Each structure stands twice: as C-alpha cells, then as structure tokens.
Amino acid sequence: MNTQIFREISKGGLIAWYKILRLIYQKNISDVYEVQILLAYFLGQINQLCTPNQLTEIATGEGVVNYFVYTEAVSRMLENGTLELAEIEGTNYYRLTEKGIEGAEKFKKLVPKSFRDKIYAAGLRLFVKLKNDRDVSFDIKPAKRGYNVHCRCCDDDMVLMDITLYAPDQEQANYIKSKIQMNPTDFYCRVVDYIIENEEYVPSAAEEQGLF
C-alpha cells in the first residue's frame, strides 16, 4: 500500500497526494455537483421506484451525503432537468430523465467508487427492509404461562408460512421477533429445510433397554 502511494506521488506530485488523502479521509461528499452525479448514478442503477423520503433516507441516513448538500443537489437536478417528480398510482417518485441517465453514465467516475458502492448498498438495505416489513407481520400476545409470538410470512397475496412460537416472557418474545426480522427469508428457508430433512426418530438399543 505504501509503495503504491509513493508511486502515485512521484507521478503526479502534490495533486496526486491531495487526491489520495481526500479518498482516505473523506467520510461523505460535500460537493453539490458530485452529489448530483452520485444520486443520478444510484437512481440509474437501483432499478426501483424511489420516493423523496426514501431517497433522503438512503443518501443521508448512513452519512454518505450531508443532508443540506443533498437537498441543494436535488433542487438543482429538478431545475436542470436531470431529475423529475412523477406521480404513479397516487404516489410521488423521483425519476431520472434521459438527460439524467446520460449524465450518470458519462460522469459517474468523477465520484469515488467507494461512495457509489456505499449509496447502492444503503439503497439495497432499505428496499429489503421495506419488503420484509410488507411481507412479514408479527403479533405478540400473552399466554397462560408466557407469550405467543405469531409470525406470518407472505409473498404478495400468497401466505408462505404462518407459525406461532412460545416465549417464557415478553423480553424473549421480542428477542425472537427481532431475530426473525433480521433475515426472515433465511428463517423461512431454514424451517422448510428442517421439515424436508426431518426423519422419523428411531431409538437406539440402549434407549430401548432403559439404559439412558
């Protein structure tokens, strides 16, 4: 790593050194023009309708972009015609124009790849969470000796799994819920795999003789 840095310095002098330090220490993008490119790149790559609130959460929620710089960038994109607000089935979404699509592809490398990766990953996480919230529902109710955690997993209108789990107290009931929420798809797949691989219990000879 050090050798590579010194090579870059020897090639480009102080300018190269400045660029390297900027990539190492920069935690978010503060240049409005770069943020415009970053947002256009994200909207062009994610292939998902994105509401204003969702885009704000994706860009600023994990510190990729400063909130005030973000709002200025969006305002300029709407003004220069690279971004438009489209109403689809009663909901407003941000959508790139042809000008925005062309600009994102042409100028994307002006924004460090690390930031492009960060905003794309943040978007994927948010949309996965939103889908899980839609497809997985929970209902925790007191039982005679503890709590029942009712979990229902759906895919659109189809119910994939409807299961109730017991917990001795409310704290553990909430813990069960939180663990399933972390990755409901994996939870569902593990349950199905266990059912498929489950076999009839056959006691050993020692158990039959009452030794264990």
Side-chain angles (χ1 to χ4, degrees):
M1 178 68 180
N2 289 336
T3 303
Q4 184 178 358
I5 290 176
F6 285 123
R7 285 177 180 172
E8 292 298 323
I9 294 172
S10 63
K11 289 179 182 178
L14 291 177
I15 295 177
W17 176 238
Y18 168 77
K19 289 181 178 179
I20 291 170
L21 287 177
R22 180 170 174 267
L23 292 177
I24 292 174
Y25 294 107
Q26 187 177 14
K27 294 181 179 180
N28 58 34
I29 299 180
S30 57
D31 182 82
V32 175
Y33 180 70
E34 288 185 352
V35 172
Q36 292 181 69
I37 297 172
L38 181 65
L39 296 177
Y41 165 82
F42 169 75
L43 291 172
Q45 291 291 315
I46 198 64
N47 192 30
Q48 172 84 35
L49 290 172
C50 196
T51 68
N53 286 340
Q54 289 169 354
L55 187 60
T56 301
E57 175 64 24
I58 291 166
T60 67
E62 298 186 16
V64 180
V65 178
N66 175 277
Y67 175 78
F68 297 103
V69 177
Y70 163 81
T71 55
E72 177 65 22
V74 170
S75 178
R76 291 191 187 181
M77 292 176 74
L78 291 170
E79 290 174 3
N80 62 32
T82 55
L83 184 69
E84 63 182 5
L85 192 63
E87 183 177 335
I88 302 174
E89 297 181 355
T91 302
N92 288 325
Y93 296 95
Y94 280 142
R95 182 170 62 188
L96 285 181
T97 63
E98 287 298 322
K99 180 181 178 181
I101 294 172
E102 293 176 5
E105 184 61 30
K106 184 175 181 180
F107 300 111
K108 65 181 181 182
K109 291 188 177 180
L110 294 179
V111 178
K113 185 176 182 300
S114 60
F115 289 108
R116 284 183 273 142
D117 291 344
K118 282 181 182 179
I119 195 170
Y120 187 73
L124 289 179
R125 283 192 291 270
L126 177 65
F127 288 124
V128 167
K129 181 181 182 300
L130 292 175
K131 186 178 188 306
N132 289 342
D133 291 343
R134 289 194 305 268
D135 295 347
V136 183
S137 61
F138 294 90
D139 187 20
I140 298 177
K141 291 184 177 180
K144 288 183 178 181
R145 296 182 179 178
Y147 287 81
N148 287 328
V149 183
H150 179 217
C151 175
R152 185 182 178 92
C153 299
C154 302
D155 186 4
D156 293 328
D157 296 330
M158 181 172 60
V159 178
L160 300 176
M161 180 175 64
D162 198 326
I163 187 172
T164 299
L165 303 171
Y166 169 77
D169 55 51
Q170 189 170 11
E171 182 179 354
Q172 293 192 49
N174 289 328
Y175 179 75
I176 290 172
K177 174 184 174 181
S178 67
K179 292 296 287 185
I180 297 174
Q181 282 181 318
M182 286 181 179
N183 195 340
T185 301
D186 184 60
F187 173 72
Y188 168 75
C189 291
R190 286 175 181 267
V191 171
V192 173
D193 287 343
Y194 181 81
I195 293 171
I196 293 173
E197 296 173 2
N198 193 34
E199 298 178 355
E200 181 182 359
Y201 172 70
V202 179
S204 65
E207 288 176 317
E208 288 182 339
Q209 294 175 13
L211 298 179
F212 293 98

PDB file of all heavy atoms in Angstrom, residues 66-91:
ATOM      1  N   ASN A  66     -24.166  14.729   3.219  1.00  0.00           N
ATOM      2  CA  ASN A  66     -24.693  15.693   4.182  1.00  0.00           C
ATOM      3  C   ASN A  66     -26.098  16.114   3.763  1.00  0.00           C
ATOM      4  O   ASN A  66     -26.356  16.363   2.580  1.00  0.00           O
ATOM      5  CB  ASN A  66     -23.773  16.912   4.246  1.00  0.00           C
ATOM      6  CG  ASN A  66     -24.309  18.010   5.136  1.00  0.00           C
ATOM      7  OD1 ASN A  66     -25.135  18.817   4.707  1.00  0.00           O
ATOM      8  ND2 ASN A  66     -23.842  18.041   6.366  1.00  0.00           N
ATOM      9  N   TYR A  67     -27.005  16.230   4.725  1.00  0.00           N
ATOM     10  CA  TYR A  67     -28.406  16.498   4.407  1.00  0.00           C
ATOM     11  C   TYR A  67     -28.584  17.806   3.627  1.00  0.00           C
ATOM     12  O   TYR A  67     -29.345  17.855   2.647  1.00  0.00           O
ATOM     13  CB  TYR A  67     -29.238  16.559   5.697  1.00  0.00           C
ATOM     14  CG  TYR A  67     -30.680  16.945   5.457  1.00  0.00           C
ATOM     15  CD1 TYR A  67     -31.597  16.027   4.964  1.00  0.00           C
ATOM     16  CD2 TYR A  67     -31.107  18.254   5.703  1.00  0.00           C
ATOM     17  CE1 TYR A  67     -32.919  16.399   4.722  1.00  0.00           C
ATOM     18  CE2 TYR A  67     -32.426  18.628   5.463  1.00  0.00           C
ATOM     19  CZ  TYR A  67     -33.320  17.699   4.978  1.00  0.00           C
ATOM     20  OH  TYR A  67     -34.618  18.060   4.730  1.00  0.00           O
ATOM     21  N   PHE A  68     -27.909  18.874   4.036  1.00  0.00           N
ATOM     22  CA  PHE A  68     -28.097  20.171   3.397  1.00  0.00           C
ATOM     23  C   PHE A  68     -27.523  20.168   1.973  1.00  0.00           C
ATOM     24  O   PHE A  68     -28.101  20.776   1.069  1.00  0.00           O
ATOM     25  CB  PHE A  68     -27.452  21.268   4.244  1.00  0.00           C
ATOM     26  CG  PHE A  68     -28.081  21.401   5.604  1.00  0.00           C
ATOM     27  CD1 PHE A  68     -27.461  20.889   6.742  1.00  0.00           C
ATOM     28  CD2 PHE A  68     -29.325  22.008   5.744  1.00  0.00           C
ATOM     29  CE1 PHE A  68     -28.049  20.998   7.987  1.00  0.00           C
ATOM     30  CE2 PHE A  68     -29.927  22.123   6.992  1.00  0.00           C
ATOM     31  CZ  PHE A  68     -29.293  21.613   8.109  1.00  0.00           C
ATOM     32  N   VAL A  69     -26.414  19.462   1.792  1.00  0.00           N
ATOM     33  CA  VAL A  69     -25.847  19.332   0.449  1.00  0.00           C
ATOM     34  C   VAL A  69     -26.787  18.501  -0.425  1.00  0.00           C
ATOM     35  O   VAL A  69     -26.990  18.789  -1.607  1.00  0.00           O
ATOM     36  CB  VAL A  69     -24.453  18.682   0.511  1.00  0.00           C
ATOM     37  CG1 VAL A  69     -23.885  18.484  -0.891  1.00  0.00           C
ATOM     38  CG2 VAL A  69     -23.502  19.523   1.345  1.00  0.00           C
ATOM     39  N   TYR A  70     -27.374  17.473   0.176  1.00  0.00           N
ATOM     40  CA  TYR A  70     -28.323  16.617  -0.547  1.00  0.00           C
ATOM     41  C   TYR A  70     -29.514  17.427  -1.058  1.00  0.00           C
ATOM     42  O   TYR A  70     -29.893  17.314  -2.233  1.00  0.00           O
ATOM     43  CB  TYR A  70     -28.792  15.481   0.359  1.00  0.00           C
ATOM     44  CG  TYR A  70     -30.040  14.791  -0.132  1.00  0.00           C
ATOM     45  CD1 TYR A  70     -29.972  13.822  -1.131  1.00  0.00           C
ATOM     46  CD2 TYR A  70     -31.297  15.122   0.388  1.00  0.00           C
ATOM     47  CE1 TYR A  70     -31.124  13.213  -1.598  1.00  0.00           C
ATOM     48  CE2 TYR A  70     -32.441  14.511  -0.069  1.00  0.00           C
ATOM     49  CZ  TYR A  70     -32.353  13.557  -1.062  1.00  0.00           C
ATOM     50  OH  TYR A  70     -33.495  12.949  -1.527  1.00  0.00           O
ATOM     51  N   THR A  71     -30.129  18.222  -0.190  1.00  0.00           N
ATOM     52  CA  THR A  71     -31.311  18.993  -0.595  1.00  0.00           C
ATOM     53  C   THR A  71     -30.967  19.989  -1.698  1.00  0.00           C
ATOM     54  O   THR A  71     -31.763  20.205  -2.622  1.00  0.00           O
ATOM     55  CB  THR A  71     -31.923  19.734   0.609  1.00  0.00           C
ATOM     56  OG1 THR A  71     -30.922  20.541   1.238  1.00  0.00           O
ATOM     57  CG2 THR A  71     -32.475  18.752   1.622  1.00  0.00           C
ATOM     58  N   GLU A  72     -29.775  20.580  -1.622  1.00  0.00           N
ATOM     59  CA  GLU A  72     -29.338  21.517  -2.659  1.00  0.00           C
ATOM     60  C   GLU A  72     -29.130  20.780  -3.986  1.00  0.00           C
ATOM     61  O   GLU A  72     -29.507  21.274  -5.053  1.00  0.00           O
ATOM     62  CB  GLU A  72     -28.044  22.206  -2.234  1.00  0.00           C
ATOM     63  CG  GLU A  72     -27.447  23.146  -3.277  1.00  0.00           C
ATOM     64  CD  GLU A  72     -28.331  24.347  -3.566  1.00  0.00           C
ATOM     65  OE1 GLU A  72     -29.175  24.697  -2.715  1.00  0.00           O
ATOM     66  OE2 GLU A  72     -28.176  24.947  -4.657  1.00  0.00           O
ATOM     67  N   ALA A  73     -28.546  19.583  -3.914  1.00  0.00           N
ATOM     68  CA  ALA A  73     -28.290  18.799  -5.125  1.00  0.00           C
ATOM     69  C   ALA A  73     -29.599  18.395  -5.803  1.00  0.00           C
ATOM     70  O   ALA A  73     -29.735  18.499  -7.027  1.00  0.00           O
ATOM     71  CB  ALA A  73     -27.463  17.566  -4.779  1.00  0.00           C
ATOM     72  N   VAL A  74     -30.565  17.942  -5.014  1.00  0.00           N
ATOM     73  CA  VAL A  74     -31.859  17.546  -5.577  1.00  0.00           C
ATOM     74  C   VAL A  74     -32.552  18.747  -6.218  1.00  0.00           C
ATOM     75  O   VAL A  74     -33.129  18.646  -7.306  1.00  0.00           O
ATOM     76  CB  VAL A  74     -32.755  16.914  -4.488  1.00  0.00           C
ATOM     77  CG1 VAL A  74     -34.185  16.736  -5.003  1.00  0.00           C
ATOM     78  CG2 VAL A  74     -32.198  15.577  -4.051  1.00  0.00           C
ATOM     79  N   SER A  75     -32.496  19.884  -5.541  1.00  0.00           N
ATOM     80  CA  SER A  75     -33.111  21.105  -6.069  1.00  0.00           C
ATOM     81  C   SER A  75     -32.513  21.477  -7.421  1.00  0.00           C
ATOM     82  O   SER A  75     -33.246  21.817  -8.371  1.00  0.00           O
ATOM     83  CB  SER A  75     -32.926  22.252  -5.069  1.00  0.00           C
ATOM     84  OG  SER A  75     -33.464  23.450  -5.579  1.00  0.00           O
ATOM     85  N   ARG A  76     -31.199  21.382  -7.537  1.00  0.00           N
ATOM     86  CA  ARG A  76     -30.537  21.719  -8.801  1.00  0.00           C
ATOM     87  C   ARG A  76     -30.872  20.699  -9.891  1.00  0.00           C
ATOM     88  O   ARG A  76     -31.036  21.069 -11.062  1.00  0.00           O
ATOM     89  CB  ARG A  76     -29.029  21.787  -8.592  1.00  0.00           C
ATOM     90  CG  ARG A  76     -28.575  22.960  -7.749  1.00  0.00           C
ATOM     91  CD  ARG A  76     -27.077  23.123  -7.806  1.00  0.00           C
ATOM     92  NE  ARG A  76     -26.602  24.138  -6.887  1.00  0.00           N
ATOM     93  CZ  ARG A  76     -25.318  24.499  -6.758  1.00  0.00           C
ATOM     94  NH1 ARG A  76     -24.395  23.920  -7.517  1.00  0.00           N
ATOM     95  NH2 ARG A  76     -24.965  25.426  -5.888  1.00  0.00           N
ATOM     96  N   MET A  77     -30.986  19.424  -9.521  1.00  0.00           N
ATOM     97  CA  MET A  77     -31.320  18.396 -10.508  1.00  0.00           C
ATOM     98  C   MET A  77     -32.723  18.608 -11.066  1.00  0.00           C
ATOM     99  O   MET A  77     -32.970  18.399 -12.259  1.00  0.00           O
ATOM    100  CB  MET A  77     -31.200  17.007  -9.882  1.00  0.00           C
ATOM    101  CG  MET A  77     -29.778  16.604  -9.538  1.00  0.00           C
ATOM    102  SD  MET A  77     -29.681  15.005  -8.696  1.00  0.00           S
ATOM    103  CE  MET A  77     -29.996  13.879 -10.077  1.00  0.00           C
ATOM    104  N   LEU A  78     -33.641  19.013 -10.213  1.00  0.00           N
ATOM    105  CA  LEU A  78     -35.003  19.297 -10.678  1.00  0.00           C
ATOM    106  C   LEU A  78     -35.012  20.519 -11.595  1.00  0.00           C
ATOM    107  O   LEU A  78     -35.765  20.583 -12.577  1.00  0.00           O
ATOM    108  CB  LEU A  78     -35.926  19.521  -9.478  1.00  0.00           C
ATOM    109  CG  LEU A  78     -36.221  18.282  -8.614  1.00  0.00           C
ATOM    110  CD1 LEU A  78     -36.938  18.684  -7.325  1.00  0.00           C
ATOM    111  CD2 LEU A  78     -37.056  17.257  -9.385  1.00  0.00           C
ATOM    112  N   GLU A  79     -34.144  21.495 -11.280  1.00  0.00           N
ATOM    113  CA  GLU A  79     -34.083  22.712 -12.073  1.00  0.00           C
ATOM    114  C   GLU A  79     -33.418  22.478 -13.429  1.00  0.00           C
ATOM    115  O   GLU A  79     -33.863  23.019 -14.439  1.00  0.00           O
ATOM    116  CB  GLU A  79     -33.322  23.800 -11.316  1.00  0.00           C
ATOM    117  CG  GLU A  79     -34.066  24.359 -10.110  1.00  0.00           C
ATOM    118  CD  GLU A  79     -33.219  25.333  -9.311  1.00  0.00           C
ATOM    119  OE1 GLU A  79     -32.068  25.599  -9.736  1.00  0.00           O
ATOM    120  OE2 GLU A  79     -33.696  25.839  -8.275  1.00  0.00           O
ATOM    121  N   ASN A  80     -32.336  21.668 -13.438  1.00  0.00           N
ATOM    122  CA  ASN A  80     -31.606  21.477 -14.699  1.00  0.00           C
ATOM    123  C   ASN A  80     -32.166  20.350 -15.563  1.00  0.00           C
ATOM    124  O   ASN A  80     -31.630  20.043 -16.631  1.00  0.00           O
ATOM    125  CB  ASN A  80     -30.102  21.271 -14.443  1.00  0.00           C
ATOM    126  CG  ASN A  80     -29.817  20.020 -13.618  1.00  0.00           C
ATOM    127  OD1 ASN A  80     -30.509  19.011 -13.689  1.00  0.00           O
ATOM    128  ND2 ASN A  80     -28.750  20.095 -12.814  1.00  0.00           N
ATOM    129  N   GLY A  81     -33.241  19.704 -15.094  1.00  0.00           N
ATOM    130  CA  GLY A  81     -33.918  18.714 -15.926  1.00  0.00           C
ATOM    131  C   GLY A  81     -33.298  17.342 -15.951  1.00  0.00           C
ATOM    132  O   GLY A  81     -33.596  16.537 -16.839  1.00  0.00           O
ATOM    133  N   THR A  82     -32.429  17.023 -14.980  1.00  0.00           N
ATOM    134  CA  THR A  82     -31.878  15.661 -14.912  1.00  0.00           C
ATOM    135  C   THR A  82     -32.734  14.761 -14.028  1.00  0.00           C
ATOM    136  O   THR A  82     -32.608  13.538 -14.065  1.00  0.00           O
ATOM    137  CB  THR A  82     -30.437  15.682 -14.362  1.00  0.00           C
ATOM    138  OG1 THR A  82     -30.422  16.357 -13.093  1.00  0.00           O
ATOM    139  CG2 THR A  82     -29.501  16.395 -15.327  1.00  0.00           C
ATOM    140  N   LEU A  83     -33.615  15.374 -13.239  1.00  0.00           N
ATOM    141  CA  LEU A  83     -34.490  14.636 -12.327  1.00  0.00           C
ATOM    142  C   LEU A  83     -35.896  15.210 -12.408  1.00  0.00           C
ATOM    143  O   LEU A  83     -36.068  16.423 -12.583  1.00  0.00           O
ATOM    144  CB  LEU A  83     -33.964  14.752 -10.890  1.00  0.00           C
ATOM    145  CG  LEU A  83     -34.690  13.973  -9.791  1.00  0.00           C
ATOM    146  CD1 LEU A  83     -34.464  12.475  -9.957  1.00  0.00           C
ATOM    147  CD2 LEU A  83     -34.211  14.430  -8.411  1.00  0.00           C
ATOM    148  N   GLU A  84     -36.884  14.332 -12.286  1.00  0.00           N
ATOM    149  CA  GLU A  84     -38.270  14.794 -12.289  1.00  0.00           C
ATOM    150  C   GLU A  84     -39.064  14.070 -11.217  1.00  0.00           C
ATOM    151  O   GLU A  84     -38.696  12.965 -10.796  1.00  0.00           O
ATOM    152  CB  GLU A  84     -38.914  14.562 -13.657  1.00  0.00           C
ATOM    153  CG  GLU A  84     -39.024  13.106 -14.061  1.00  0.00           C
ATOM    154  CD  GLU A  84     -39.637  12.942 -15.443  1.00  0.00           C
ATOM    155  OE1 GLU A  84     -39.887  13.960 -16.107  1.00  0.00           O
ATOM    156  OE2 GLU A  84     -39.861  11.777 -15.855  1.00  0.00           O
ATOM    157  N   LEU A  85     -40.133  14.713 -10.778  1.00  0.00           N
ATOM    158  CA  LEU A  85     -41.029  14.130  -9.786  1.00  0.00           C
ATOM    159  C   LEU A  85     -42.255  13.617 -10.532  1.00  0.00           C
ATOM    160  O   LEU A  85     -43.010  14.402 -11.107  1.00  0.00           O
ATOM    161  CB  LEU A  85     -41.418  15.179  -8.742  1.00  0.00           C
ATOM    162  CG  LEU A  85     -42.115  14.679  -7.471  1.00  0.00           C
ATOM    163  CD1 LEU A  85     -41.196  13.743  -6.684  1.00  0.00           C
ATOM    164  CD2 LEU A  85     -42.535  15.857  -6.598  1.00  0.00           C
ATOM    165  N   ALA A  86     -42.432  12.292 -10.524  1.00  0.00           N
ATOM    166  CA  ALA A  86     -43.525  11.676 -11.270  1.00  0.00           C
ATOM    167  C   ALA A  86     -44.525  11.044 -10.312  1.00  0.00           C
ATOM    168  O   ALA A  86     -44.132  10.376  -9.353  1.00  0.00           O
ATOM    169  CB  ALA A  86     -42.962  10.611 -12.219  1.00  0.00           C
ATOM    170  N   GLU A  87     -45.806  11.250 -10.581  1.00  0.00           N
ATOM    171  CA  GLU A  87     -46.852  10.645  -9.766  1.00  0.00           C
ATOM    172  C   GLU A  87     -47.302   9.336 -10.408  1.00  0.00           C
ATOM    173  O   GLU A  87     -47.750   9.310 -11.559  1.00  0.00           O
ATOM    174  CB  GLU A  87     -48.043  11.588  -9.620  1.00  0.00           C
ATOM    175  CG  GLU A  87     -49.137  11.024  -8.714  1.00  0.00           C
ATOM    176  CD  GLU A  87     -50.288  11.982  -8.510  1.00  0.00           C
ATOM    177  OE1 GLU A  87     -50.068  13.199  -8.636  1.00  0.00           O
ATOM    178  OE2 GLU A  87     -51.403  11.515  -8.223  1.00  0.00           O
ATOM    179  N   ILE A  88     -47.168   8.253  -9.670  1.00  0.00           N
ATOM    180  CA  ILE A  88     -47.555   6.928 -10.152  1.00  0.00           C
ATOM    181  C   ILE A  88     -48.501   6.299  -9.143  1.00  0.00           C
ATOM    182  O   ILE A  88     -48.124   6.072  -7.989  1.00  0.00           O
ATOM    183  CB  ILE A  88     -46.322   6.023 -10.360  1.00  0.00           C
ATOM    184  CG1 ILE A  88     -45.360   6.675 -11.349  1.00  0.00           C
ATOM    185  CG2 ILE A  88     -46.741   4.631 -10.852  1.00  0.00           C
ATOM    186  CD1 ILE A  88     -44.056   5.923 -11.515  1.00  0.00           C
ATOM    187  N   GLU A  89     -49.740   6.064  -9.564  1.00  0.00           N
ATOM    188  CA  GLU A  89     -50.771   5.474  -8.712  1.00  0.00           C
ATOM    189  C   GLU A  89     -50.919   6.231  -7.385  1.00  0.00           C
ATOM    190  O   GLU A  89     -51.003   5.632  -6.318  1.00  0.00           O
ATOM    191  CB  GLU A  89     -50.470   3.991  -8.457  1.00  0.00           C
ATOM    192  CG  GLU A  89     -50.490   3.149  -9.719  1.00  0.00           C
ATOM    193  CD  GLU A  89     -50.212   1.686  -9.444  1.00  0.00           C
ATOM    194  OE1 GLU A  89     -49.901   1.337  -8.282  1.00  0.00           O
ATOM    195  OE2 GLU A  89     -50.308   0.885 -10.379  1.00  0.00           O
ATOM    196  N   GLY A  90     -50.900   7.547  -7.492  1.00  0.00           N
ATOM    197  CA  GLY A  90     -51.134   8.381  -6.325  1.00  0.00           C
ATOM    198  C   GLY A  90     -49.929   8.638  -5.436  1.00  0.00           C
ATOM    199  O   GLY A  90     -50.036   9.324  -4.413  1.00  0.00           O
ATOM    200  N   THR A  91     -48.766   8.115  -5.806  1.00  0.00           N
ATOM    201  CA  THR A  91     -47.543   8.304  -5.013  1.00  0.00           C
ATOM    202  C   THR A  91     -46.494   9.011  -5.855  1.00  0.00           C
ATOM    203  O   THR A  91     -46.318   8.690  -7.035  1.00  0.00           O
ATOM    204  CB  THR A  91     -46.982   6.954  -4.528  1.00  0.00           C
ATOM    205  OG1 THR A  91     -47.977   6.276  -3.758  1.00  0.00           O
ATOM    206  CG2 THR A  91     -45.739   7.160  -3.667  1.00  0.00           C
TER     207      THR A  91
END
